[in-house]
Amino acid sequence: MEIKRFPKSEAAYEAGKKVIPGGVIGTRRPENFVPGAYPLYIKEGKGAHFKDLDGNEYIDYLAGFGPVLLGHAYEAVDNAAIERIRRGFCFDLSQDIQNTLAEKVIEFIPCAERVIFVLSGSDATTAAIRLARAYTGRDKILKSGYSGWHDWCVPIPTGVPAKAREDILPFIYNDIASVETAMEKHKGQVAAIILTPLAHEYNHPLEFPQEGFLQKLRDITKAEGTLLIFDEVRTGFRLARGGAQEYFGVTPDIGVFGKAIGNGYPIGMVTGSNDVMMANQKAYISSTFFYNSFPMTAALAVLKEIEGENVLPHIWRLGEKLQKGMKDLLSKYEIPAEVSGPPPMPFLTFKSDKSDPQKKHQARRRIFFTEVIANGVFLHPFHHWYIIYTHTDEDIEKTLAVMEKAMMKIKAQVP
Ligand SMILES: Cc1ncc(COP(=O)(O)O)c(C=O)c1O
C-alpha cells in the first residue's frame, strides 16, 4: 500500500478551494512545483529547516522566495520586533527608528543618500519609477527583469489596460544595442532604465552582466539625463553588504530593496541620491502601513547581524561548496544541466535540446526534484535557490548526498 506523505496538506487544499480562489494563490500554486511531489502547506520552521503540515522535515533553499536571509524564527530579529510590537507600532505620526535605520542603510549602500521605507519590493519599484518620472518630467521607462506585480510591470497583463503599460519599453539584458536603439527612438523622453543588475529570469540560468554592460548603462543614462535604477530586491544584502552595486562597482541613481532586509518582515525601500529622492516632495508616496515600526525594527536587527556576524562570508562559502559539489556530480553522472548564479543564489537548469522531441530535460527535471523533495530537500524546480545564514556544512553535505541519489536515478531512467 502506498503511504501518503501529505494527507493534511491535501485536506487543507480541499478546504482552501472552498474559500480561496484556486485553493492557493500566486507563486505558491502546486503546479509551480512538481504537483503531488511537493507539500502544499508549511507548519513551522527554525533556522534553515521547516516542517510541512504533515510533519515532514525539509532543508529550506527557497527562504520564503528570498526574504529569509538569516533563518526562520531568528531570535535577534524576532526579539527586537516583538519588543517593538509590545509597545505599539501603528501610530498617527512617524517613529524615529526610521532615521536610525536610514542612517545604517546609508552606511551600507553606495547610492544611498536618502531612504524611503515601504512594505514590499513591488511598493519599492513602483515608488522608484514614480520618483524618476517626477524628477525628470518624462514618462517612458526602459525595463529588464521582474519588478513585481503592479500594473506597470506585471508579467501577465490580464486585467491591466494596455494604456497602463504603453510607456514601459522592455529591453534585453546584456544587449546594449537594444538599449541604444530604444534610447535613440525615444530621445529626451526616457525617465529611467530599471533592471535587475544580475538577470534571474524564471526557469533560466542566472546571467551575470557582461564586462562593461552596467557601466555602459551608467554612461548612457548620464549622457541622456535618464536615471539608472537597480532593482536589488533579490541581490540586496546577499551579493555584498552594499548589494550588486557594490559587487559590480557601478552606482545607480536609485537602488530598490526588499526581501532580505527584513528577514521575512514586510519591508522594502527606495534609496538614492539626495536630489532624486527629494522628488518625493512633489510625488505622492504614502500608504497606511508604511509607517509601522516593527518591520523597521526587524530590519535594523538584520543589518546589525550582517555587520556583527559572519553572515555574508558564510553564505558565500556554503553556496560555493554546494555549486562545486553539484558540478562534480553532473560530470560524474554525465547529466546535461547547468549550475548557475552567484553562490548565495545557486540554481540548476536541465538543458533542453531543440532536437529532442521527447523532451528528456523535462523528465530529468521531474525525476530530480521529485527525488530531492522526497528526501527532505526543498529546492524550487523553476526559481533559483538561496543560501540561508543558518545552513550548515552538514546541510550542504546532506543535500549533495540526496542530489547524488537523484542523479543516479536520472542516469538509470533518462540517460
Ligand atoms: C527583482 C524583484 N523585484 C521586485 C519584486 C517584487 O517584490 P514583492 O514580491 O516583495 O512585491 C521581486 C519579487 O520577487 C523581485 O524578485
Side-chain angles (χ1 to χ4, degrees), residues 5 18 23-24 69 91 146-147 179 235 281 285 288 297-298 343-344 373:
R5 290 187 70 219
K18 295 184 184 136
V24 173
L69 173 75
F91 293 117
Y146 182 69
S147 315
V179 177
T235 50
Q281 300 299 298
I285 297 175
T288 304
T297 310
I373 192 74

Side-chain angles (χ1 to χ4, degrees), residues 296-310:
M296 297 182 201
T297 310
L300 189 60
V302 170
L303 297 191
K304 285 187 178 156
E305 289 296 290
I306 293 175
E307 235 177 2
E309 301 290 322
N310 189 29

Side-chain angles (χ1 to χ4, degrees), residues 64-385:
F65 282 79
V68 182
L69 173 75
L70 300 171
H72 300 287
Y74 192 86
E75 281 181 16
V77 178
D78 290 350
N79 289 345
I82 290 164
E83 193 278 330
R84 180 66 260 175
I85 287 168
R86 294 226 158 97
R87 291 188 292 129
F89 58 84
C90 179
F91 293 117
D92 316 338
L93 301 172
S94 290
Q95 291 176 254
D96 62 357
I97 173 85
Q98 70 181 19
N99 300 347
T100 318
L101 180 58
E103 283 157 13
K104 191 52 77 193
V105 166
I106 291 166
E107 273 177 41
F108 271 49
I109 309 292
C111 79
E113 292 175 358
R114 293 283 185 279
V115 192
I116 295 173
F117 296 107
V118 293
L119 282 174
S120 70
S122 298
D123 286 343
T125 55
T126 299
I129 67 155
R130 186 165 303 163
L131 285 170
R133 285 168 159 167
Y135 178 77
T136 59
R138 303 171 180 180
D139 289 341
K140 297 205 186 294
I141 304 285
L142 261 64
K143 171 179 145 43
S144 165
Y146 182 69
S147 315
W149 80 284
H150 289 171
D151 277 6
W152 67 275
C153 60
V154 65
I156 299 172
T158 311
V160 180
K163 274 186 282 195
R165 305 159 60 88
E166 68 191 15
D167 287 319
I168 309 297
L169 315 165
F171 71 92
I172 302 162
Y173 184 83
N174 266 339
D175 179 355
I176 205 72
S178 73
V179 177
E180 285 169 339
T181 307
M183 290 298 285
E184 195 49 42
K185 187 167 169 205
H186 304 285
K187 207 166 180 54
Q189 300 171 57
V190 180
I193 295 182
I194 180 167
L195 78 158
T196 54
L198 173 87
H200 40 60
E201 294 292 326
Y202 198 68
N203 199 18
H204 284 277
L206 283 77
E207 198 181 337
F208 279 86
Q210 281 166 10
E211 182 70 36
F213 174 67
L214 296 176
Q215 185 57 48
K216 195 84 208 252
L217 292 180
R218 181 64 286 184
D219 297 343
I220 293 171
T221 46
K222 266 219 169 101
E224 295 295 331
T226 295
L227 299 181
L228 182 62
I229 306 174
F230 281 178
D231 177 346
E232 299 231 38
V233 168
R234 294 194 207 176
T235 50
F237 309 103
R238 279 206 160 84
L239 280 199
R241 237 178 68 138
Q245 51 192 273
E246 177 187 313
Y247 186 73
F248 295 124
V250 175
T251 305
D253 299 291
I254 299 179
V256 172
F257 295 81
K259 297 202 194 255
I261 187 178
N263 195 52
Y265 288 85
I267 185 163
M269 67 181 182
V270 191
T271 61
S273 64
N274 182 34
D275 55 340
V276 171
M277 295 297 290
M278 289 302 280
N280 93 320
Q281 300 299 298
K282 303 186 264 184
Y284 187 83
I285 297 175
S286 183
S287 178
T288 304
F289 296 138
F290 283 177
Y291 312 95
N292 282 355
S293 54
F294 75 91
M296 297 182 201
T297 310
L300 189 60
V302 170
L303 297 191
K304 285 187 178 156
E305 289 296 290
I306 293 175
E307 235 177 2
E309 301 290 322
N310 189 29
V311 176
L312 298 187
H314 179 81
I315 286 174
W316 271 80
R317 184 178 67 74
L318 290 194
E320 278 161 8
K321 180 167 174 166
L322 181 67
Q323 286 184 320
K324 175 170 185 317
M326 282 160 57
K327 283 179 189 161
D328 290 348
L329 290 173
L330 290 177
S331 61
K332 179 169 172 190
Y333 293 98
E334 298 172 308
I335 292 171
E338 180 180 345
V339 176
S340 67
M345 299 160 65
F347 195 33
L348 180 69
T349 325
F350 288 87
K351 287 183 187 159
S352 61
D353 180 348
K354 285 203 179 66
S355 66
D356 171 18
Q358 295 171 320
K359 302 231 182 304
K360 282 188 182 173
H361 72 285
Q362 290 179 2
R364 292 186 185 115
R365 183 172 62 215
R366 198 170 48 251
I367 294 168
F368 183 82
F369 288 97
T370 303
E371 185 67 21
V372 292
I373 192 74
N375 285 282
V377 177
F378 196 98
L379 299 166
H380 199 294
F382 305 107
H383 184 296
H384 69 80
W385 318 325

